[in-house]
Structure formats: C-alpha cells, structure tokens
Amino acid sequence: MRDLYQIPVSEVRGVGKEKAAELAEFGIRSVGDLIEYYPFRYEDYSIRDLSQVKDGEKITIQGTLASDPVLQMYGRSKSRMLCKVVVDRFFISAVWFNQKFLKDKLSSGLELVLTGKWDQKRLQITVSETEFPGKRNANAGTLQPVYSVGGAITQKWIRKAISQALQQFGALVREVLPEFLLRKYDLMPRSEAISALHHPDGTEHGQRARRRIVYEELFLFQLKLHAFRAVNRSRTDGLAQQVDLPKVRAFVRALPFTLTESQKNVLADILRDLQEPYAMNRLLQGDVGAGKTVVAAAALYAAYTAGNQGSLMVPTEILAEQHKRSLDKLFEPYGIQTALLTGSLTDKQRREVLASLQMGLIDVVVGTHALIQEDVFFRRLGLVVTDEQHRFGVQQRSILRRKGMNPDVLTMTATPIPRTLAITAFGDMDVSTLRELPKGRKPIETYWVKHSMLERVLGFIAREAEAGRQSYVICPLIEESEKLDVQNAIDVHVQLQQHFPSLRVGLLHGRMSAAEKDEVMRAFKDNGLHVLVSTTVIEVGVDVPNATLMVIYDADRFGLSQLHQLRGRVGRGEHQSYCVLISDPKTDVGKERMKAMTETNDGFEIARRDLELRGPGDFFGTKQSGMPDFRVADLSLDFETMERARDDAAALVADSEFWTAAVYIPLRDYLQRQQLFEGDPLD
Ligand code: ADP
Ligand code: MG
C-alpha cells in the first residue's frame, strides 16, 4: 500500500504545479499533509427554526416564496431585490443585493433554501446564498469546513482539493492506534475520523471525530516522549558514577539544618540516577525557597566523591557569584575547588580557568551559559546542574558527546507546573518535586490595595526603610512594549526619588547593560539602596535577605505565577516580609487573581489557579513556552485526554513486547514524521 506521506500533493486531481507550490507555504507537501489540514471551524448550514434564531445571526432556512421578486436598481450595477417568503408559520421578507441575475429564476410558489443574515426587527433575511430545489452540491443541512487560507489558496479551492484528495486517496489512510486502545475508548477508525473532521455528519459526528484525532495526537506525542526516555534510560553510554554514599550522608548530616522529607526523597532519586549507567535527565521543581540549591549542592558533592567534576549553570553573573559563595561555604570543609566562569573574566583569567578545568584541578565550576562552549573542556565532567532557561536540549547533549562527555543532567525550575503541563513540556524528563518548604518560614503577608491607597503604600516603604529594611518596587508592565516598560520604570524612579529625598532609590531595567545592572544589584545587596525600582528583569533567584517589602504596580497585568515569583524575592531572611499588590482590576477574573494571591503562598496552588483562569497558552508566556503545537488538541480543553494518553503511552513503552511486537512498527514511521519534539528517540 502506498504511503500517503510519500505521495506529492500534485497527484491530487486539480492541484497543479503552482497550487502545489502555494500549498507548500502552508507546510502541505504530501497528500497526507493535505488531508490532515483540518478546518478550524465550520459554517453551519443546518436548517434553523426561526423561533430559535437570534438577531444578527447567519442562518439557513427553508421556505416557499409568497410573491414574485421586486427589483430596484441603483445606478448601473447596484440592485436590491425583495420577496415575501413563508417559513413554517412565519411570513418574512428576503432581500438580495446585487444579484439581479436571480430574478428570472425566482417566482411565487417556489420552494428553496436561503442562507444569510437574520434581522429580527424587520423579520428579514439578507440572502448571501440561494439554493434551488434538486441541486446536488447543496450545502443545506451540512456543516461546511472553514480552513485557514491565504494567498492564492481560497476557501472554496481548498475545500474542493481536500474533498478530491479524500475521494482519490482516502482508502490509503492507515490506522496508527493499536486495536486495544480503539476499543478501550470506543474511538472511530482513523480514516473515518479524518473524513468526518472535514465533513461531519452533524455536530455529534464531528465531535466524535475530534475526540479520536485528539487522542491520537496526544497519545503519539506522549509515546514519543516515553520512547525517548526509555531509549535514553537503556543507553549505557552515560556515567555509572561510583558515588561514595557514606561520605554523602556525612555531608548531609553536617548541613546546618535537617533536610525536609521532600529533599531527602529527591536526593535519593538523584543519587540512584548518578550511579546508573544511563545519563540522568531529571527536572527538579520546587517553589521559591523550597531548598533546591542545597539539593543540587549535595548532588555536586556526590559526583565529586565519584571523582567527577560538576558544573552549575545560571542565567546571570550576579546569580553565578551568589551561588559560588553559597557553594564555597558548604564545600569548604571538604577541600573542593570551585571556580567562576563568566563573561567578565579577563582573557588571562579565563584561560587559566579553562586550563584548570581541562586538567581536572577545578572540581565544581559555576557560570553562565558560557560554560558549555566549544573551547570549554572538562577532564571528567560528571554532573551538569542547570536551570529551566538553560534547559538542556538534545543539541547541547550532542555537543558534549562529541567532546566525549555524557554527563548526568539536573534541571531546576522554580515555576511550579501543574501536572498536565509538566507531562507535556517536560515529558522527556524524570520529574522530582519538592512539595514542602523548610520548617519555620514566616509566610509572606500579601495585601491587595487600590491605586487610591498609593500614599499609604509609600508610607509603608518609608517605615521599612526606617527599620533598616529594603523594598522592591516593580513597575507596571505594558504588554508587547519593553520600551514603554522601561519608560514607566524611569518615571516611577523619578517620582519616588522626589517623594523620598532622604532615601537612596535605585533603578533597574532591561535597557541597561549587564555591567550597569550588576552594579545596581550589588549596591542593593550591600544595603546601599533603600528602594529598588525595577521592571521584571529582577532576577529569579536573587537573594537579598534584608529586603522585606515587595510592591507591585498594576499587579493585574502580571500572570499569577509571575507575581508569585516576584513575591519570592522577599521573605528570605529572619524578618517578617510583605507583598503589596496595587491594582484596580476591571473584571471578575482579575479580582479573583488578586484574591488568590492574598489567600495562598503555595506556588502549586497558584499555578493551578493561574492555569484555570488563563489557560495553558498564557501560562507559560509566549517566549519560553516549550509547548508543542497540536493540530487539533487544545490543552485547555483536553487536559484529561492528555493524562490518559500519557498513562497509556507509559504502559505501552514499559511493556517489553512493545519494542519487538507489530504494535511498534506502524507507529514508528508516523512518529518520525511528526516532529513534535526536538530530536528523535529512535535514532
Ligand atoms: P530555592 O533554590 O529552592 O529557591 P534555596 O536552596 O535557596 O531555595 O533555599 C532557601 C533557603 O533555605 C536557603 O537559605 C537554604 O539554606 C535554606 N534551606 C534549604 N533547605 C533547608 C531545610 N531543609 N531546612 C532549613 N533551611 C533550609
Ligand atoms: Mg548516570
């Protein structure tokens, strides 16, 4: 049987060379691509009952003409034609604009189907489509697909092309889902579902087709992730690190606090992975302040006991320095050599660090992304710890592999992610979660106030300054315009300086150079500034324990998870900390969001509500989404299907038969074609 994805779209009758080239612009090259180009909505031509329709709606009705048409001309080409029509028990009028060619075909007593816009006041339909009895290509009673089109590809043309493709090649559509899953969920066969998505036999039929394709899409996506993981786990070209467990236990005992249960469990996961011969690919997620860094430190120490080097990659220099200092404190008693590798080293310093790394004189290196560059060589790299922004892709891994390294990788994220999204965005990783915060933390008190209370908020800032504490003021966010955000911050900075002549007020925004930003941050850290006015560039992970007040202007413009991250900048020391959200939200959802912030300090709870209120697209923000694009599935609607698909895929991959049995073969080609995920598990 021919493979639909190998047949060029030009083999469809009516698709010539030029049109084929146009279709390629839409990513449609093969017949398979064309028939999987699904409509994003339908035009409803089902015959409507006039007592059920609303003013302004586009409707289709069936009726009998009760008069001959009356034609009026305006100038040479414009016309208006009017007829009385009986529809059920209603007597309405129908009006045609500029369609005088229809005049001779219309006469009293004729029964026909009209589609157009309904005017409830005049009881009148403005007709756009007229269907005469006995015509075969009638739309009446159908749902017509609406595709995303443009350029030389028109709606009418693509409808025809897809119908033609289905007629010509529909019989070649192959099932990709295993039989037992079709039965389990009572899913339509693939060929039926594809043609029903284009031409549903009514709404219910369309929904069943959608359900089948959504499941297929999510299942195959999950299957690919799981296959990826399974293949990775079965590889033996990672390091089986000879961790000295008694030493690691001693390291943990020597910490100034006891690890939480969560921390212990996560560390156990990591230690197991380090010792296995596959390359660890694990995500460590935990709320701000949950104690991820100390877990990472213990892991780096474990790699050290195995005689391997470690590296910690962070987004900015200031964070690199901060982390190096805290690691030094923890590692000092063990004689571990650490180093910084950042952009601000001199050439000479950099050369020295690189040489020491290569000779194995440095055990743990902390730095920015400069760490994984071509000229950086390790003698024995065992563990890379990185953050979400530096998520380790297949590409980086292959760079390292080419250098003869295949280290274990631990990725940390402070954005707690609800399960559905985690299994989607991070589905190729093993996920460990820190669920509890260390004991004894003072919860941050959060208040939501209106703009009219600004004076009192400023008073609050002054009081904290008098008590020797520091405050952050985060400026309003103006969507899509960094420039305006910066202007805002500059304005607020000027205002606050004028308002507090005796306080030192600093300014931080994205248009400043890295060196300028570092300088301001350092001043704030060293308690040289009372107030720091900032856009959202204020980094995740920045640790200034003396800062106790976070003020956020126009808080309703931020996502909940972002607010939670910002709030996490305070509450890091011994003093009671506060977060003040200034906003006058106009919508109920906006008010709900502010309420949620004041009601809970739990990042997972916030993430859950955020997702509920905004949907997954916005949840991640557009930039760093890492979320795949599905053709039909929509994660805000198809959560549960995703969870089921994941369980099914996991079970299938775990079944050793999967890899040998016939189940796998038809899936493989399909999976390889669907580039839903960077890299291919099946290489
Ligand atoms: P995260 O990186 O998850 O935001 P950190 O690792 O920076 O959190 O931890 C925040 C603070 O809590 C640090 O000062 C750290 O020393 C401290 N800490 C970590 N784990 C514990 C624990 N189990 N008990 C008490 N304090 C802890
Ligand atoms: Mg390993």
Side-chain angles (χ1 to χ4, degrees):
M1 205 154 83
R2 292 178 77 193
D3 180 350
L4 278 175
Y5 302 89
Q6 307 287 352
I7 307 175
V9 74
S10 53
E11 283 196 29
V12 175
R13 266 191 289 285
V15 179
K17 239 193 186 155
E18 266 169 48
K19 281 290 202 283
E22 291 278 343
L23 286 174
E25 299 282 314
F26 290 79
I28 300 170
R29 290 183 179 79
S30 67
V31 174
D33 296 337
L34 181 62
I35 65 172
E36 284 190 53
Y37 195 71
Y38 299 123
F40 64 91
R41 65 176 182 89
Y42 301 91
E43 296 238 50
D44 191 349
Y45 289 94
S46 36
I47 306 289
R48 302 288 296 274
D49 179 342
L50 273 183
S51 61
Q52 310 278 324
V53 303
K54 291 197 210 73
D55 185 42
E57 243 188 307
K58 187 175 175 194
I59 58 167
T60 299
I61 50 169
Q62 189 163 21
T64 309
L65 297 192
S67 71
D68 287 335
V70 178
L71 180 69
Q72 290 174 302
M73 294 300 296
Y74 302 93
R76 285 176 64 93
S77 56
K78 294 198 172 148
S79 70
R80 179 175 184 272
M81 188 162 63
L82 205 69
C83 242
K84 292 289 168 200
V85 187
V86 178
V87 180
D88 295 332
R89 54 192 188 284
F90 298 98
F91 196 65
I92 68 167
S93 52
V95 60
W96 287 258
F97 287 101
N98 308 324
Q99 299 177 58
K100 68 172 187 202
F101 56 91
L102 287 176
K103 180 165 190 287
D104 293 342
K105 300 185 183 168
L106 301 175
S107 59
S108 182
L110 183 70
E111 201 177 301
L112 76 188
V113 172
L114 303 173
T115 299
K117 194 170 162 186
W118 178 242
D119 181 336
Q120 181 72 41
K121 256 194 254 133
R122 295 196 180 125
L123 295 181
Q124 174 173 299
I125 182 170
T126 303
V127 181
S128 52
E129 287 164 67
T130 311
E131 281 180 35
F132 294 93
K135 270 274 182 100
R136 269 323 295 153
N137 67 342
N139 287 332
T142 66
L143 293 170
Q144 285 295 312
V146 181
Y147 301 93
S148 158
V149 292
I153 305 292
T154 64
Q155 201 58 248
K156 207 167 153 196
W157 186 87
I158 200 162
R159 277 183 190 167
K160 245 175 86 184
I162 291 175
S163 297
Q164 177 62 35
L166 286 170
Q167 243 180 50
Q168 241 176 297
F169 296 102
L172 297 182
V173 173
R174 263 182 266 184
E175 186 52 76
V176 293
L177 291 178
E179 177 63 33
F180 77 94
L181 287 175
L182 294 178
R183 260 184 281 121
K184 180 173 173 187
Y185 297 115
D186 187 24
L187 298 173
M188 267 184 198
R190 183 155 207 267
S191 57
E192 183 187 342
I194 289 180
S195 82
L197 264 189
H198 294 291
H199 302 288
D201 236 351
T203 317
E204 201 200 334
H205 190 229
Q207 275 162 358
R208 269 177 48 83
R210 181 181 185 279
R211 189 164 68 84
R212 142 81 212 208
I213 298 294
V214 165
Y215 178 81
E216 169 186 314
E217 211 172 15
L218 300 181
F219 171 75
L220 293 178
F221 172 74
Q222 288 292 344
L223 191 66
K224 185 161 182 170
L225 293 180
H226 279 79
F228 192 96
R229 265 166 58 167
V231 169
N232 182 45
R233 285 204 155 232
S234 65
R235 293 181 94 116
T236 49
D237 57 352
L239 292 171
Q241 303 200 42
Q242 306 292 313
V243 174
D244 188 332
L245 289 176
K247 276 192 181 164
V248 177
R249 276 194 281 272
F251 175 88
V252 169
R253 266 200 309 275
L255 290 171
F257 42 75
T258 24
L259 294 185
T260 63
E261 282 308 304
S262 279
Q263 284 172 317
K264 283 184 202 158
N265 293 337
V266 169
L267 186 57
D269 289 345
I270 294 170
L271 292 176
R272 199 188 54 233
D273 281 356
L274 292 181
Q275 295 173 84
E276 293 285 339
Y278 56 79
M280 170 168 78
N281 184 20
R282 184 172 288 279
L283 179 76
L284 169 54
Q285 66 167 343
D287 209 343
V288 192
K292 293 180 292 294
T293 314
V294 79
V295 171
L300 288 165
Y301 178 75
Y304 166 78
T305 67
N308 293 320
Q309 292 167 293
S311 78
L312 174 60
M313 266 206 295
V314 296
T316 64
E317 299 207 353
I318 192 114
L319 278 178
E321 284 171 23
Q322 185 178 299
H323 274 111
K324 175 163 184 307
R325 268 195 302 275
S326 33
L327 288 183
D328 279 344
K329 239 186 270 166
L330 292 168
F331 288 162
E332 203 205 84
Y334 307 94
I336 298 175
Q337 295 302 313
T338 67
L340 262 183
L341 186 58
T342 63
S344 56
L345 296 190
T346 63
D347 280 352
K348 181 157 172 284
Q349 289 170 321
R350 183 178 160 80
R351 270 198 307 277
E352 268 169 28
V353 173
L354 292 183
S356 308
L357 275 177
Q358 196 161 8
M359 287 187 285
L361 300 176
I362 293 171
D363 303 311
V364 174
V365 61
V366 183
T368 47
H369 66 282
L371 270 179
I372 303 285
Q373 270 158 10
E374 300 73 41
D375 60 342
V376 183
F377 287 88
F378 292 79
R379 196 169 89 90
R380 250 195 122 193
L381 180 59
L383 173 62
V384 174
V385 181
T386 175
D387 60 66
E388 194 182 339
Q389 291 172 40
H390 290 127
R391 206 175 144 195
F392 228 64
V394 174
Q395 232 168 359
Q396 277 108 326
R397 242 195 216 289
S398 62
I399 292 178
L400 288 183
R401 273 213 193 100
R402 258 182 275 131
K403 296 197 228 175
M405 297 181 273
N406 192 18
D408 290 310
V409 175
L410 179 67
T411 302
M412 301 196 285
T413 174
T415 321
I417 299 162
R419 192 181 126 84
T420 311
L421 296 188
I423 62 178
T424 308
F426 301 110
D428 59 324
M429 301 170 132
D430 297 305
V431 178
S432 296
T433 303
L434 294 179
R435 296 224 157 266
E436 40 181 343
L437 292 183
K439 287 199 195 67
R441 287 281 164 78
K442 290 200 188 92
I444 300 164
E445 290 177 21
T446 301
Y447 304 99
W448 162 33
V449 304
K450 302 272 165 78
H451 281 96
S452 53
M453 309 254 292
L454 186 60
E455 280 294 321
R456 289 179 62 179
V457 176
L458 295 178
F460 199 169
I461 293 176
R463 272 203 306 286
E464 288 298 293
E466 258 164 51
R469 307 281 89 77
Q470 295 162 275
S471 303
Y472 295 97
V473 176
I474 304 298
C475 289
L477 190 70
I478 295 182
E479 266 162 298
E480 321 271 359
S481 167
E482 196 207 339
K483 209 165 149 189
L484 287 175
D485 289 348
V486 167
Q487 192 51 49
N488 257 325
I490 293 171
D491 292 347
V492 171
H493 180 237
V494 170
Q495 284 159 17
L496 292 190
Q497 266 181 329
Q498 283 167 355
H499 193 273
F500 299 122
S502 61
L503 298 187
R504 284 186 302 278
V505 182
L507 172 66
L508 191 71
H509 62 68
R511 290 280 164 109
M512 292 160 62
S513 72
E516 288 168 331
K517 276 190 268 184
D518 273 2
E519 195 181 323
V520 173
M521 259 333 286
R522 210 152 296 161
F524 189 65
K525 234 174 131 74
D526 298 342
N527 205 356
L529 297 170
H530 297 101
V531 181
L532 181 61
V533 175
S534 176
T535 58
T536 52
V537 298
I538 187 84
E539 292 110 355
V540 169
V542 160
D543 193 19
V544 182
N546 192 48
T548 51
L549 174 58
M550 167 62 64
V551 176
I552 304 174
Y553 276 67
D554 282 352
D556 50 315
R557 297 194 189 220
F558 297 85
L560 278 189
S561 291
Q562 198 177 9
L563 289 175
H564 182 66
Q565 286 296 321
L566 289 169
R567 175 168 64 182
R569 294 312 100 223
V570 297
R572 306 179 78 81
E574 59 199 292
H575 312 286
Q576 176 62 50
S577 291
Y578 310 89
C579 174
V580 177
L581 308 170
I582 307 178
S583 87
D584 303 274
K586 303 217 167 34
T587 64
D588 285 345
V589 169
K591 287 173 191 158
E592 278 306 310
R593 282 155 34 82
M594 293 303 109
K595 282 236 293 283
M597 284 298 294
T598 61
E599 282 166 9
T600 178
N601 267 308
D602 176 347
F604 281 92
E605 177 62 16
I606 300 252
R608 199 186 58 71
R609 294 210 200 173
D610 204 8
L611 185 60
E612 234 173 59
L613 293 168
R614 295 201 301 167
D618 291 335
F619 181 84
F620 275 109
T622 38
K623 273 184 237 131
Q624 45 149 16
S625 90
M627 297 294 275
D629 263 336
F630 296 111
R631 285 173 202 265
V632 182
D634 172 351
L635 288 187
S636 57
L637 302 171
D638 301 314
F639 275 12
E640 285 170 21
T641 309
M642 180 64 104
E643 304 249 345
R644 255 181 260 133
R646 174 200 142 102
D647 293 346
D648 294 333
L652 197 56
V653 168
D655 180 354
S656 58
E657 292 233 324
F658 169 72
W659 300 94
T660 51
V663 189
Y664 175 64
I665 304 305
L667 283 172
R668 191 181 54 195
D669 302 346
Y670 192 83
L671 282 176
Q672 274 174 337
R673 215 169 21 243
Q674 300 278 318
Q675 291 174 345
L676 285 170
F677 196 79
E678 182 195 7
D680 203 301
L682 309 154
D683 287 345

